[in-house]
Amino acid sequence: MGTNGYADRVIQRLRGKKLKITPQRIAILHYLEGNTAHPSAEQIYREVSRAFPTISLATVYNTLDTLERLGELQVVAIDPARKRYDPDTRPHHHAMCTECRTIQDVHTDYGGTIALPDGLRERLQVASVTVHFSGLCRSCSPVTI
Amino acid sequence: MGTNGYADRVIQRLRGKKLKITPQRIAILHYLEGNTAHPSAEQIYREVSRAFPTISLATVYNTLDTLERLGELQVVAIDPARKRYDPDTRPHHHAMCTECRTIQDVHTDYGGTIALPDGLRERLQVASVTVHFSGLCRSCSPVTI
DNA sequence: TTCGATGCAAAGCCTTTGCATCCTG
DNA sequence: CAGGATGCAAAGGCTTTGCATCGAA
């Protein structure tokens, strides 16, 4: 919606790559814009279907794949059951409740405090370092019930 | 095999819980003992099948589930494609090559340098903090080829 | 003898793919 | 109007489940 929003930016990039701007893609981009819920493909499909009832799951997967290859979408590997998607591609961390599987962003910058041990640094060209916090959120915590 | 090894310890715990010590479980435990390869269920099945040709995949999954509930096996959620298992249940971190999907352990203790931001700490009872490094390993790195 | 464990097959999710049709550019 | 995108259905991985049989204790 905003002139500098996610959808607008990605649309420019699609145009630049001579990829097509379809109503389905636009609907998915609008759903993802500012979305911090880390939805699964199925969730994205369900939500976008409400505004766009004829969209197919395959199109959702195709679009997510395209966005990932454009570097405009990140797969979050923290939920062992399914892929979760994040339109925020800045380096950041995640916190998940192991009960309700809610994922929250952690935008703390740990700077250089997290370093690979020397031995490993020679064996792996590190592209990303992410911290995963997990535990029980307030609503899932026994004491709270 | 050793008197203080993984298999022996888990067998004692199975006994304590009145669970059965079957040849299949023993074979799986021996395969897992000291294993730092972070195998998938399929890999465990394939390897254990060589020593134990009649074992079934369902038994492997059942056993992994039992071990996980005993706290003697950890699911590593870093490979988006499948669950990877780790018999080392001490808190530690992982480094994965995004190309060949090899996972290595990182036993660095980051102590208190990794802290949840205040806001989140009130919303999540943190049970574990793990760092995921990812990138290309030497054999998968273009420069090396 | 008992009851948990096994093995087989089927089913259940999640994700990918093939292909005819559609529609953006 | 060309070629990429869509939608449908089928297929493909990974994982779970139902159930009859087996076997450890």
Side-chain angles (χ1 to χ4, degrees):
Chain A
M1 303 265 173
T3 46
N4 285 309
Y6 180 72
D8 286 348
R9 184 179 70 245
V10 177
I11 286 172
Q12 307 299 352
R13 298 218 42 210
L14 288 171
R15 235 193 280 283
K17 296 267 183 184
K18 306 287 184 210
L19 297 173
K20 290 176 177 169
I21 322 285
T22 65
Q24 291 90 336
R25 286 182 171 178
I26 293 174
I28 292 173
L29 291 176
H30 282 157
Y31 174 67
L32 290 176
E33 177 156 327
N35 190 316
T36 58
H38 308 83
S40 65
E42 183 69 32
Q43 283 174 313
I44 295 170
Y45 172 63
R46 267 204 313 278
E47 288 306 311
V48 172
S49 289
R50 314 209 297 149
F52 206 113
T54 63
I55 198 172
S56 73
L57 233 195
T59 294
V60 170
Y61 275 108
N62 284 337
T63 300
L64 295 179
D65 190 56
T66 300
L67 294 178
E68 206 188 328
R69 278 187 286 99
L70 282 180
E72 295 289 356
L73 188 67
Q74 206 183 334
V75 173
V76 178
I78 190 176
D79 184 343
R82 59 189 61 76
K83 291 183 186 172
R84 305 281 292 259
Y85 297 90
D86 192 343
D88 185 346
T89 56
R90 295 172 294 173
H92 64 283
H93 314 286
H94 293 107
M96 183 173 89
C97 171
T98 50
E99 185 64 26
C100 63
R101 315 213 132 169
T102 297
I103 298 175
Q104 298 182 62
D105 287 316
V106 177
H107 278 285
T108 303
D109 180 4
Y110 295 104
T113 61
I114 304 177
L116 254 191
D118 286 345
L120 241 184
R121 206 188 316 161
E122 294 153 20
R123 285 179 278 160
L124 191 81
Q125 269 185 16
V126 178
S128 81
V129 180
T130 60
V131 182
H132 288 185
F133 299 90
S134 68
L136 290 180
C137 73
R138 220 163 208 184
S139 6
C140 293
S141 174
V143 264
T144 307
I145 294 174
Chain B
M1 302 266 179
T3 48
N4 284 309
Y6 179 73
D8 286 349
R9 184 179 70 244
V10 178
I11 286 171
Q12 307 299 352
R13 298 217 43 210
L14 288 170
R15 234 192 283 281
K17 297 266 183 183
K18 307 287 185 210
L19 297 173
K20 290 176 177 168
I21 322 284
T22 65
Q24 291 90 335
R25 286 182 170 179
I26 293 174
I28 292 172
L29 291 175
H30 282 156
Y31 173 68
L32 289 177
E33 178 156 328
N35 189 317
T36 58
H38 309 83
S40 64
E42 182 70 32
Q43 283 175 314
I44 295 170
Y45 171 64
R46 267 204 314 278
E47 288 306 311
V48 172
S49 289
R50 314 209 297 149
F52 206 112
T54 63
I55 199 172
S56 72
L57 234 194
T59 294
V60 171
Y61 275 108
N62 284 337
T63 300
L64 296 178
D65 190 57
T66 300
L67 295 178
E68 204 187 329
R69 277 186 286 102
L70 282 180
E72 295 289 357
L73 188 66
Q74 206 185 333
V75 173
V76 178
I78 189 177
D79 183 343
R82 60 190 61 76
K83 291 184 184 170
R84 304 281 292 259
Y85 297 90
D86 192 342
D88 184 347
T89 56
R90 295 172 293 172
H92 64 283
H93 314 286
H94 293 107
M96 183 174 88
C97 171
T98 50
E99 186 63 27
C100 64
R101 317 213 129 168
T102 297
I103 298 174
Q104 297 183 64
D105 288 316
V106 177
H107 278 286
T108 304
D109 180 4
Y110 296 103
T113 61
I114 304 178
L116 253 191
D118 287 345
L120 240 183
R121 205 187 320 160
E122 293 154 21
R123 284 178 279 159
L124 191 81
Q125 268 186 14
V126 178
S128 81
V129 180
T130 60
V131 181
H132 288 186
F133 299 89
S134 67
L136 290 179
C137 73
R138 222 167 207 182
S139 7
C140 293
S141 174
V143 265
T144 308
I145 293 172

